[in-house]
Amino acid sequence: MPNIVVLVKQVPDTYSERKLSDSDHTLDRESADAVLDEINERAVEEALLIKEAQGGEVTVLSVGPDRATEAIRKALSMGADKAVHVSDPALHGSCVLQTSKVIAAAIGKVDGVDLVIAGNEATDGRSGAVPAILAELLGYPQLTHARKVTIEGTSIKVERETDEGITHLEASLPAVVSVGEKINEPRYPSFKGIMAAKKKPVETFTVADLGIDAGEVGLANATSSVLEAAPKPPRAAGRRVADEGDGGVKIAEYLIAQKLI
């Protein structure tokens, strides 16, 4: 019966206007509606399918501001058993390395973890690196970009789709798995699930609770930073080419001037 931790993240809705803050060029989370990232819904669904087939327990884990409890509650309403929420103002602007270290420390607060499931990338940062970094920090094998997951005893098998075909991966538990868009179709929370989620335990930690110094995280200590940002310029009017027998040449000349050919 696997004990599963699922990483979830609250992100700006992709249908909202997303922007960076003027002060420090970090993501302006208050400027857009916040939702549980869709790829995380698929990660939660996969954990629930494994639990329904084999038993065990599903813990969702999120690193984010207090507002992220909304995303956590949605994951709990889908059927997860409990949650861990790392919330600390010191984390603002943390890079993927810092975030991965915090996640690894938080996973250490969960007893007997057999499997960590994450999405292949979040729709805000889109680094796609956290699952691999986390696996390295935990000393777990990584099976990434999965479209199918099978667990047999202490063995886990994954099918990964690539441009060249299907890659088959196998490892021993505990392991880190990241899932892609084709893994499943997430369920909708039922009314019963929504009501039950309100009573499920959510354990909250600060970085100090995890044994991490605040000076190790945050924008000032990040390994990467944004130096400058500007809004995307408005789309310019297209250029009309009149074909007087030399239309093809004019188009080619234009594309060459734009360095497109």
Side-chain angles (χ1 to χ4, degrees):
M1 296 191 295
N3 190 9
I4 306 171
V5 171
V6 185
L7 307 186
V8 300
K9 187 177 185 182
Q10 188 182 57
V11 298
D13 192 335
T14 54
Y15 292 100
S16 300
E17 181 181 358
R18 296 173 291 175
K19 62 180 183 179
L20 301 180
S21 65
D22 295 329
S23 58
D24 59 12
H25 304 312
T26 59
L27 184 63
D28 185 351
R29 297 189 179 277
E30 300 302 320
S31 67
D33 295 333
V35 297
L36 172 61
D37 205 343
E38 182 181 349
I39 194 64
N40 295 157
E41 293 184 25
R42 298 178 190 273
V44 172
E45 176 67 23
E46 194 62 24
L48 295 176
L49 292 174
I50 294 171
K51 175 188 171 182
E52 289 165 0
Q54 303 189 23
E57 187 174 60
V58 176
T59 302
V60 293
L61 190 159
S62 184
V63 176
D66 292 344
R67 187 182 183 187
T69 53
E70 301 165 8
I72 291 171
R73 289 297 176 190
K74 177 162 187 187
L76 292 174
S77 70
M78 291 175 66
D81 301 290
K82 60 182 182 177
V84 171
H85 182 194
V86 183
S87 180
D88 196 316
L91 290 168
H92 173 75
S94 292
C95 63
V96 292
L97 287 173
Q98 295 166 323
T99 302
S100 298
K101 289 178 180 178
V102 170
I103 293 172
I107 289 173
K109 295 290 186 178
V110 182
D111 294 331
V113 176
D114 299 299
L115 179 62
V116 179
I117 303 180
N120 57 355
E121 67 175 4
T123 55
D124 52 0
R126 308 208 74 144
S127 71
V130 168
I133 297 171
L134 182 63
E136 179 70 18
L137 293 172
L138 294 173
Y140 291 177
Q142 55 171 301
L143 302 92
T144 53
H145 296 272
R147 74 165 196 174
K148 182 179 180 180
V149 177
T150 305
I151 295 178
E152 298 175 356
T154 60
S155 176
I156 181 168
K157 298 179 180 179
V158 157
E159 290 184 9
R160 175 202 287 162
E161 184 172 2
T162 69
D163 292 337
E164 289 74 32
I166 305 298
T167 303
H168 297 270
L169 308 175
E170 182 174 356
S172 296
L173 297 175
V176 174
V177 169
S178 72
V179 301
E181 296 290 341
K182 294 184 179 181
I183 188 72
N184 57 48
E185 286 298 325
R187 67 194 68 186
Y188 289 101
S190 64
F191 178 75
K192 180 180 179 181
I194 293 171
M195 298 306 294
K198 297 179 180 180
K199 300 179 180 179
K200 292 179 178 179
V202 178
E203 196 169 6
T204 303
F205 296 104
T206 64
V207 291
D209 295 331
L210 300 177
I212 297 174
D213 190 283
E216 299 178 43
V217 297
L219 183 61
N221 308 289
T223 58
S224 60
S225 61
V226 178
L227 301 179
E228 185 178 355
K232 182 172 65 174
R235 180 177 293 182
R239 177 178 173 181
R240 184 185 297 271
V241 175
D243 187 4
E244 299 174 349
D246 58 352
V249 174
K250 291 179 179 178
I251 292 174
E253 290 174 345
Y254 174 77
L255 293 175
I256 292 171
Q258 299 299 314
K259 298 183 179 179
L260 296 175
I261 60 173

